[in-house]
Amino acid sequence: MHGVRELRGRLKGHRWRVVPLLQAGLLGGLLAGAFTACRGPSPDRALEQQRQQQQARLQQQLRCERQRRALQPLVDSFQQHRATLLAIDAEVYGPSPGPKPLDPEEQRRLAIYDQEIEQEQYEKALAAWKEREAQRYRAWRSEQAARRAAAHDALAAAAAKLRAIAPAVVSSSDPPGLRQAELQPLLRCRPEQRP
């Protein structure tokens, strides 16, 4: 306590000397701060910026991995539905075997009357086969159209799910396809390099 009073007493007498020293110290601190700002960030600040950049890169990589994990099953589903639709479109109707045509050699050996009877029987069998075949073809077309509509709807739903995550990945063609140039960087978690 005694030392504090003594210090105050000394400072009272030397106040005119202390004030310029304080001003010089304050000015020196300001100038040092200005020089530090001109030199760039302090080592601590640079380390903090580097840590923040690393954290941002890590967060970006985690977001990309989450997107890739969500994207891959949607891509697989899209490709499966597209392959199904294309396979249905490529189907060709296969007619059942018709009645065996008459053998001309055998026909020559028969009497005219027998030739006419066989010809008449063949034409009836052929007409019946054509009728059955027309019904069978209509049934096949109807069934194929139903399967195609279901496959088209499934593909459209798969395309909509993909577009919700990555709109540029799905083409606008009919049927839609995948744009590999936009898809592959997303699956590799690297941004697309554009020239």
Side-chain angles (χ1 to χ4, degrees):
M1 190 74 174
H2 178 69
V4 171
R5 283 187 194 145
E6 186 178 316
L7 183 60
R8 279 187 192 162
R10 282 186 190 168
L11 286 178
K12 275 186 183 182
H14 302 288
R15 186 174 294 171
W16 60 273
R17 291 185 199 162
V18 173
V19 171
L21 287 175
L22 287 174
Q23 288 175 337
L26 183 60
L27 182 60
L30 289 174
L31 288 175
F35 286 134
T36 302
C38 289
R39 279 196 322 251
S42 68
D44 290 343
R45 188 176 187 105
L47 285 173
E48 178 62 22
Q49 285 178 345
Q50 187 179 15
R51 190 189 66 75
Q52 288 175 352
Q53 288 171 352
Q54 287 173 343
Q55 188 69 22
R57 281 194 297 273
L58 179 62
Q59 290 298 325
Q60 182 180 5
Q61 185 67 24
L62 289 174
R63 276 193 304 275
C64 183
E65 285 297 327
R66 278 195 301 272
Q67 182 184 35
R68 186 184 60 75
R69 282 195 300 273
L71 198 58
Q72 189 62 61
L74 296 177
V75 168
D76 294 343
S77 174
F78 177 89
Q79 288 176 322
Q80 181 182 8
H81 290 303
R82 188 171 195 277
T84 300
L85 179 62
L86 293 176
I88 291 171
D89 284 346
E91 289 176 353
V92 176
Y93 176 72
S96 65
K100 187 178 177 185
L102 298 173
D103 183 3
E105 200 57 42
E106 215 174 280
Q107 287 292 306
R108 272 190 235 122
R109 290 190 217 144
L110 295 175
I112 298 290
Y113 177 75
D114 290 336
Q115 287 179 11
E116 289 174 356
I117 289 175
E118 278 200 3
Q119 185 65 37
E120 191 177 310
Q121 288 174 346
Y122 173 74
E123 286 173 4
K124 282 182 183 177
L126 186 60
W129 173 80
K130 284 182 178 178
E131 181 60 33
R132 281 193 314 272
E133 207 45 43
Q135 290 175 1
R136 188 171 171 261
Y137 178 74
R138 284 192 297 271
W140 178 83
R141 284 297 293 161
S142 175
E143 185 263 341
Q144 188 205 33
R147 286 187 302 117
R148 188 188 190 288
H152 188 272
D153 291 347
L155 180 60
K161 287 178 184 176
L162 257 178
R163 283 187 181 114
I165 293 178
V169 165
V170 182
S171 73
S172 59
S173 60
D174 186 30
L178 293 176
R179 293 186 177 118
Q180 292 298 325
E182 281 79 11
L183 175 63
Q184 289 309 312
L186 295 176
L187 293 179
R188 289 191 307 262
C189 282
R190 284 200 299 263
E192 183 183 357
Q193 299 296 321
R194 293 192 181 274

